[in-house]
């Protein structure tokens, strides 16, 4: 048995937390673990804002579709793609003022860096007996989040993360069959039909149990509903205003 692999496979999103605060050493260990994540060309193009103030968490909750667990968790981490620090460092080392390349690649690099660091943080938190849930809802009003947290140009909030001691024991949500995700040598969709059909049945049983028989759905139905809705069209304009021109 590999304890790390077993821990990873036990991951669950936690949406209810005990009021117990995190120790400063726990928070530092979580972020130090995030810093150990891989980063393209050593850019380290991300920052994280740790929010513990009740008022600020409540405000962030309102900006993210009133998700109550943001206000209730002991620490809310806002993971940001950050090119501002690179600009400051490069400008100090250059004869003239440095410039951030307005390319899609720079946007991708910073976003991926933030995601890799956050996943390391999630694993570290869970190893300490804590629970987490990622919050994409902060992109519902990224401008409001930016103003609240003082995020400058070239910094945008990618997602949030609630962290705290779990006050619930949710069941493990089933995932797609391995053969629909793992491809050998070349991409192939041959296994998709059978694998998705099997997964639809598994997820339907899970959702019926979780919701006490009140939610009868499948993965395919949920994905069809998701693809039928355009979400967060404001992000392109917001990112341009932040300096991520995506040329």
């Amino acid at each position: 048995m590999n304890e790390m692999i077993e821990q990873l496979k036990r991951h669950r999103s936690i949406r209810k937390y005990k009021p117990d605060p995190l120790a400063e050493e726990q928070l530092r260990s979580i972020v130090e673990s995030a810093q150990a994540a891989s980063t393209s060309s050593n850019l380290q193009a991300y920052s994280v804002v740790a929010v513990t103030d009740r008022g600020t968490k409540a405000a962030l909750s309102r900006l993210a579709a009133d998700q109550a667990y943001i206000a209730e968790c002991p620490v809310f981490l806002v993971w940001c793609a950050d090119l501002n620090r690179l600009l400051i460092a490069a400008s100090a080392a250059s004869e003239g003022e440095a410039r951030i390349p307005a390319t899609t690649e720079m946007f991708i690099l910073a976003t991926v860096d933030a995601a890799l660091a956050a996943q390391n943080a999630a694993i570290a938190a869970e190893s300490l007996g804590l629970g987490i849930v990622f919050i994409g809802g902060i992109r519902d009003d990224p401008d409001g989040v930016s103003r609240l947290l003082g995020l400058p140009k070239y910094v945008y909030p990618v997602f949030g993360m609630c962290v705290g001691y779990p006050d619930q024991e949710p069941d493990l949500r089933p995932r797609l069959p391995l053969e629909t995700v793992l491809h050998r040598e070349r991409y192939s969709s041959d296994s998709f039909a059978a694998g998705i059909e099997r997964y639809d049945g598994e997820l339907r049983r899970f959702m019926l149990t979780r919701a006490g028989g009140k939610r009868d759905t499948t993965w395919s139905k949920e994905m069809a509903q998701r693809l039928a809705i355009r979400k967060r069209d404001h992000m392109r304009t917001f990112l341009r205003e932040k300096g991520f021109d995506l040329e």
Side-chain angles (χ1 to χ4, degrees):
M1 179 183 294
N2 183 299
E3 292 185 7
M4 177 59 72
I5 291 176
E6 291 303 311
Q7 177 191 316
L8 290 168
K9 291 166 69 173
R10 288 195 302 270
H11 167 73
R12 298 166 297 175
S13 292
I14 300 299
R15 294 178 172 84
K16 188 176 181 182
Y17 299 91
K18 296 177 180 178
D20 310 53
L22 270 67
E24 176 64 21
E25 184 58 33
Q26 288 177 307
L27 178 59
R28 291 181 62 88
S29 293
I30 290 169
V31 176
E32 286 171 349
S33 297
Q35 289 187 269
S38 297
T39 172
S40 179
S41 302
N42 201 30
L43 292 177
Q44 302 176 69
Y46 64 90
S47 286
V48 57
V49 181
V51 180
T52 58
D53 179 79
R54 289 179 179 272
T56 306
K57 286 188 297 177
L60 288 167
S61 176
R62 290 191 295 271
L63 292 168
D66 293 314
Q67 297 181 71
Y69 26 95
I70 297 175
E72 295 167 357
C73 68
V75 179
F76 186 65
L77 302 179
V78 180
W79 295 91
C80 305
D82 185 353
L83 300 179
N84 179 57
R85 185 170 55 242
L86 302 180
L87 182 62
I88 292 172
S91 295
S94 303
E95 293 183 3
E97 184 177 355
R99 297 181 63 184
I100 296 294
T103 63
T104 300
E105 175 66 2
M106 287 302 294
F107 166 77
I108 292 173
L109 289 177
T111 302
V112 170
D113 265 13
L116 293 175
Q119 183 60 25
N120 257 30
I123 296 166
E126 290 177 343
S127 76
L128 296 173
L130 302 165
I132 68 98
V133 62
F134 284 95
I135 305 293
I138 63 167
R139 297 192 304 278
D140 285 0
D141 189 348
D143 186 60
V145 172
S146 292
R147 285 186 278 106
L148 182 65
L149 301 182
L151 304 183
K153 190 175 182 179
Y154 300 119
V155 180
Y156 89 92
V158 183
F159 44 70
M161 179 192 290
C162 296
V163 184
Y165 289 95
D167 196 21
Q168 62 177 178
E169 288 287 338
D171 293 330
L172 292 174
R173 184 189 293 264
R175 299 300 199 204
L176 283 161
L178 181 65
E179 61 268 23
T180 66
V181 176
L182 176 61
H183 303 257
R184 305 285 184 174
E185 310 303 335
R186 292 175 60 86
Y187 185 95
S188 173
S189 58
D190 292 347
S191 66
F192 286 5
I196 290 172
E197 182 179 8
R198 186 164 81 251
Y199 183 57
D200 278 344
E202 292 176 1
L203 190 66
R204 179 174 181 267
R205 289 188 292 273
F206 171 82
M207 297 304 293
L208 284 170
T209 301
R210 181 179 181 181
K214 297 179 181 179
R215 187 174 178 185
D216 189 351
T217 188
T218 67
W219 185 73
S220 295
K221 288 180 181 178
E222 291 197 336
M223 295 307 101
Q225 293 170 358
R226 177 64 183 84
L227 294 179
I229 301 173
R230 290 178 64 100
K231 294 185 67 175
R232 301 174 184 141
D233 283 345
H234 55 262
M235 284 300 299
R236 186 174 185 179
T237 299
F238 169 76
L239 288 170
R240 282 181 173 173
E241 293 173 348
K242 280 290 188 177
F244 296 85
D245 291 332
L246 308 187
E247 292 180 0

